[in-house]
């Protein structure tokens, strides 16, 4: 038994020593290094995979188009794994080993918040996709959001409910986390200010699978429209259960319930009488560039692209544009980004404000009756 | 009233799944004394066995279900051989951490195989709705309650009317005495793990169509199953059933009549209350020198 | 008194040497290890010495962390005033909840403490006015030691090592005292301990409170290191991790607690090269350690020449006190 233990230990130590033997990062002259901390493993990789793919595609496209004034870019990925701590570890590892000129953080607000002090220390422009408004409140001049903030999305949903659906007695159903709570409060205030106060607000936990209690409660309170702030899986479940319970009122869902990962769980009937307020309508009908993006992504990776991935792609293109104009000096690049106005990405129009929020447009979509194909109802711009 | 019936039956359906998971958990605990913290991942494996058989291989219903359950039985046997046997002499906590470690491995092996997208496991009763007193109930939810009832009846038959089952109960009560009576203890212990795996498989196959299948579904189920066994009474089969149904009903009815945000706190609060006031649960035996 | 001092000095010396030439990234990992080690030394009191299976340790770390976070950000307290208050609240709470809870043993206690951790998470997530909900509390101020701000990894590491050294020495003192022996007696045989006149209830609550106190210290360190706290940093998965650190390192041993914390903090980072398979491998590795090294890494110390047991091995049990430090 002694020998087996020793052998096992040797193997373990050997495995542990492997990474220490990896070669030091060779400082070459040619490629511009970009760092990206992305959830590649664990439960968060559901969305992480999307922007892992889109950033890879962006890298290819930028280099194919001649790179940055002749220099190629190279995106180095590091796995944020599953916790805030490891996400910050990934960031610091990248900052130290690869010394990037630019960073992309993940789409999880808590990871963004945890990494913010380190971003400030490193002093390099950083793009992130977490939605919590509070990420932009800390006065960190290096961080730029590449998606609509949660409050923007909530306002968009309210506008959809009031202007398009003409709601008089709205109800709100939200997931019990920063996104859901924050958005629900913003929406409730807006509705109140517009003279249509909510008749009920119901919450559910992140791991909940049955929403009959919440849905029935809203129905019994007389809600004529329900605004749902959800995540992909529970969003899809909610839509299905609403139909099973026989709810007749229109539903306005946040973007997550309509991302490809959620859409593949639904039947066309589940989307009946449902409107979605999404980041960007990803359909060929929007225009040539969107069509090209969607088709190329699908051919390359075999799955449908979602708006999260698109925002990272646009962000990378925006970054490349900036680098071409002002070079890779951190301060110059940051100042250029902070002054960007009306930059036309594929998914959005980017104009940055003092807090680092750059996206204020959304799309209202609904499914073509009897199908799962989404079509644009209206574009919304929030001030 | 229709609303109440709706909520009640939904609560029963969820509770039945928790009950099945809890029963598997209890069988293993009674026979081997192991608190299996990977119980949730067992259920997840059951669901994904269904995904593989019914969706990836496109087998017809009866074949697909049978193959899934057979796969779970094999998994249970492997677990017994590779995890339980090496660890059986270790301290309680070591085994607990061991099951946690294997749970992590199971979850990530599933993720490597199936990816992190959720799946929609189909049910033969897809889309069929039943009207009961004004409430519209999914036939699948009713089927879950019925199947659970049938499983419990079968288990009763097994444990009280077959020699194998009586042998398993004997091993659960006193391993040494069972050995002295000439019972093949190892075989019976292996059977306990296999049975637990199959029950988790049934739970998983029932759960998949209701909830969607994803690789991280295991932990929340395990937590509720633990609460169910504590409330019902550790080591007691009727306790696991009562506890599971209670937790399911509390979840749904608590969300409706008390608070939807804090409903999980209600279930866990009651569990802690039971632990403080009546640790043997509703049906358990008095705890003398437990632990 | 020699061994506790040697322990503290050793920790500090090794840490100082390492901090001289390690990079920022590795220094950060060391800091995370030190914080975890502080927590696990606490867990060692509850589980290693007193035999209480506590799966709520991360909740106590969280109470310490949220305590200082709330006091410094919402109420504007000075960090050094917030720290003792946060630790005090956690210790008092643990003693109060320990009173009814510690009548349970074994897996009943494990599940009860698990429920406690889950309850903590639910409350932290939902009591938004106080805790900020899932977005947590950000922009916690920097900690300064004797006027010197702990602004980077290196200076924080020196401070953390100091705290760790003091706590390790203290733990060693307790281990050698009659209080430590009382805890171990309760762990080994509660009825016999009662018969020798030991008040087992007080001993168990004291061990639990001591563990919670160390956890709260770790929580304060965490809060001032990352300067951001969120509920998911203190969920039950972290409690299980702390327990795993103790077992892998060697339960009942202070050196074991520190080693376990270091190994399980560095291991996921070392395994990054495995890409998507790293977690599965990590689980298997843990399982392997549990099967092949039941006494933890510290148990390997038996192979060191000056640690050979004086009596034949057959007389010593697996969890012999000779092996722990």
């Amino acid at each position: 038994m002694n020998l087996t233990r020793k052998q096992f230990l040797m193997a373990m130590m050997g495995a542990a020593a492997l990474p220490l033997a990896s070669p030091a990062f060779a400082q070459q002259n040619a490629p511009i290094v970009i760092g990206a901390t992305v959830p590649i493993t664990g439960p968060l990789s559901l969305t992480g995979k999307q922007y892992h793919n889109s950033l890879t595609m962006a890298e290819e496209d930028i280099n194919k188009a001649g790179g940055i004034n002749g220099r190629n870019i190279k995106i180095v990925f590091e796995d944020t794994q599953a916790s805030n701590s490891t996400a910050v570890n990934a960031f610091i590892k990248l900052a130290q080993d690869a010394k990037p000129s630019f960073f992309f953080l993940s789409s999880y607000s808590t990871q963004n918040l945890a990494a913010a002090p380190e971003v400030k220390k490193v002093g390099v422009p950083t793009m992130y996709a977490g939605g919590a408004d509070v990420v932009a409140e800390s006065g960190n001049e290096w961080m730029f959001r590449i998606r609509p903030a949660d409050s923007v999305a909530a306002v968009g949903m309210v506008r959809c409910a009031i202007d398009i659906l003409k709601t008089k007695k709205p109800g709100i159903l939200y997931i019990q986390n920063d996104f859901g709570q924050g958005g629900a409060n913003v929406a409730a205030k807006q509705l109140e200010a517009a003279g249509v106060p909510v008749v009920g607000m119901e919450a559910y936990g992140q791991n909940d699978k049955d929403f009959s209690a919440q849905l029935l409660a809203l129905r019994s309170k007389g809600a004529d429209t329900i605004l749902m702030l959800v995540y992909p899986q529970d969003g899809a479940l909610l839509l299905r259960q609403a139909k099973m319970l026989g709810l007749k009122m229109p539903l306005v869902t946040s973007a997550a319930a309509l991302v490809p990962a959620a859409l593949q769980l639904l039947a066309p009937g589940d989307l009946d009488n449902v409107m979605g307020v999404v980041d960007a309508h990803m359909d060929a009908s929007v225009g040539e560039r969107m069509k090209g993006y969607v088709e190329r992504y699908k051919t390359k990776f075999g799955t449908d692209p979602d708006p999260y991935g698109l925002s990272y792609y646009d962000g990378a293109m925006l970054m490349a544009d900036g680098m071409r104009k002002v070079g890779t000096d951190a301060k110059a690049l940051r100042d250029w980004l902070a002054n960007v106005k009306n930059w036309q990405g594929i998914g959005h129009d980017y104009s940055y404000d003092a807090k680092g929020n750059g996206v204020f447009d959304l799309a209202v979509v609904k499914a073509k009756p009897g199908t799962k194909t989404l079509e644009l109802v209206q574009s919304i711009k929030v001030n | 009233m229709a609303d109440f019936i709706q909520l009640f039956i939904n609560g029963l359906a969820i509770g039945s799944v928790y009950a099945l998971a809890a029963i598997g958990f209890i069988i293993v605990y009674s026979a081997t004394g192991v608190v299996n913290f990977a119980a949730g991942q067992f259920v997840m494996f059951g669901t994904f066995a269904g995904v593989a058989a019914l969706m990836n291989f496109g087998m017809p219903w009866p074949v697909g279900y049978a193959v899934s359950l057979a796969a779970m039985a094999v998994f249970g046997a492997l677990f017994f051989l590779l995890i339980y046997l090496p660890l059986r002499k270790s301290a309680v906590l070591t085994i607990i951490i061991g099951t946690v470690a294997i749970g992590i491995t199971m979850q990530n092996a599933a993720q490597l195989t199936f990816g992190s997208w959720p799946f929609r496991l189909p049910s033969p009763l897809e889309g069929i709705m039943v009207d009961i007193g004004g409430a519209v109930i999914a036939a699948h939810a009713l089927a879950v309650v019925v199947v659970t009832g049938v499983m419990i009846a079968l288990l009763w038959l097994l444990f009280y009317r077959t020699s194998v089952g009586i042998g398993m109960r004997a091993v659960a009560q006193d391993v040494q005495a069972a050995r002295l009576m000439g019972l093949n203890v190892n075989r019976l212990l292996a059977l306990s793990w296999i049975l637990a795996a199959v029950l988790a498989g049934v739970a998983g196959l029932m759960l998949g169509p209701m909830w969607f299948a994803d690789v991280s579904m295991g932990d929340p189920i395990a937590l509720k199953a633990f609460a169910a066994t504590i409330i019902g009474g550790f080591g007691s089969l009727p306790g696991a059933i009562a506890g599971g149904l209670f937790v399911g009903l509390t979840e749904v009815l608590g969300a409706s009549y008390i608070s939807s945000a804090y409903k999980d706190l209600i279930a866990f609060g009651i569990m802690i209350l039971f632990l403080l006031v009546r640790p043997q649960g509703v049906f358990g035996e008095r705890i003398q020198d437990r632990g | 008194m020699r061994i506790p001092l040697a322990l503290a000095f050793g920790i500090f010396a090794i840490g100082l040497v390492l901090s001289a030439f390690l990079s920022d990234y590795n220094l950060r990992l060391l800091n995370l290890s030190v914080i975890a080690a502080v927590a696990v030394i606490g867990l060692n009191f509850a589980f290693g010495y007193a035999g209480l299976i506590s799966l709520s340790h991360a909740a106590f770390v969280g109470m310490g962390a949220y305590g200082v976070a709330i006091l410094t950000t919402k109420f504007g307290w000075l960090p050094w005033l917030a720290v003792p208050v946060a630790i005090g609240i956690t210790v008092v709470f643990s003693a109060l909840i320990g009173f009814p809870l510690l009548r349970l043993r074994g897996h009943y206690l494990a599940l009860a403490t698990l429920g406690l951790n889950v309850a903590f998470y639910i409350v932290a997530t939902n009591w938004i006015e106080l805790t900020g909900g899932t977005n947590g509390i950000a922009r916690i101020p920097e900690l300064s030691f004797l006027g010197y701000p702990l602004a980077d990894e290196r200076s924080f590491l020196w401070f953390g090592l100091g705290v760790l050294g003091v706590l390790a020495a203290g733990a060693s003192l307790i281990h050698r005292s009659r209080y430590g022996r009382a805890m171990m007696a309760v762990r080994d045989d509660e009825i016999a301990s009662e018969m020798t006149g030991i008040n087992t209830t007080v001993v168990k609550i004291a061990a639990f409170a001591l563990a919670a106190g160390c956890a709260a210290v770790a929580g304060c360190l965490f809060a001032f290191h990352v300067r951001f706290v969120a509920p998911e940093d203190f969920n039950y998965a972290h409690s299980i991790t702390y327990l795993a650190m103790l077992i892998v390192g060697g339960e009942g041993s202070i050196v074991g607690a520190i080693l376990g914390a270091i190994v399980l903090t560095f291991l996921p980072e070392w395994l990054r090269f495995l890409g998507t398979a790293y977690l599965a491998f990590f689980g298997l590795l843990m399982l392997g350690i549990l099967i092949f090294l039941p006494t933890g890494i510290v148990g390997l110390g038996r192979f060191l020449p000056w640690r050979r047991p004086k009596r034949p091995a057959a007389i010593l049990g697996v969890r012999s006190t000779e092996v722990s430090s």
Side-chain angles (χ1 to χ4, degrees), chain C residues 247-285:
Chain C
I247 296 195
V248 164
E251 67 211 52
S253 151
I254 299 172
V255 171
I258 300 176
L259 283 178
I262 296 177
V263 168
L264 284 186
T265 304
F266 275 84
L267 205 53
E269 299 289 324
W270 285 340
L271 292 179
R272 273 182 189 276
F273 68 96
L274 283 176
T276 41
Y278 98 91
L279 258 185
F281 188 74
F282 179 74
L284 285 175
L285 200 57

Side-chain angles (χ1 to χ4, degrees), chain C residues 305-321:
Chain C
W306 65 87
R307 290 298 234 140
R308 290 239 183 272
K310 300 174 192 83
R311 281 168 283 167
I315 299 182
L316 292 171
V318 169
R319 279 156 73 185
S320 152
T321 47

Side-chain angles (χ1 to χ4, degrees), chain A residues 42-43 45-46 176 202-203 207-210 212-214 216 219 233 236-237 240 244-245 260-261 264-267, chain B residues 3 6-7 10 14 111 116-120 126 129 136 138 209-212 214 220 252 255-256 260-261 263-264:
Chain A
S45 62
L46 181 60
Q176 192 67 280
E202 298 285 327
N207 285 316
D208 285 359
K209 309 289 187 189
D210 185 272
S212 29
Q214 291 90 335
L216 291 177
R219 178 168 74 181
Q233 234 184 301
L237 259 179
R240 251 179 87 185
M244 279 166 45
L245 286 170
Q264 51 113 13
L265 297 167
L266 294 169
Chain B
D3 276 5
Q6 187 93 58
L7 294 172
N10 277 357
I14 296 180
Q111 187 173 344
S116 33
W117 274 32
F119 285 85
R120 183 170 156 195
E126 192 84 22
M129 312 295 285
V136 179
M210 293 197 321
W211 286 7
F212 298 147
D214 90 280
V252 176
S256 182
S260 52
K263 65 172 169 16
D264 277 350

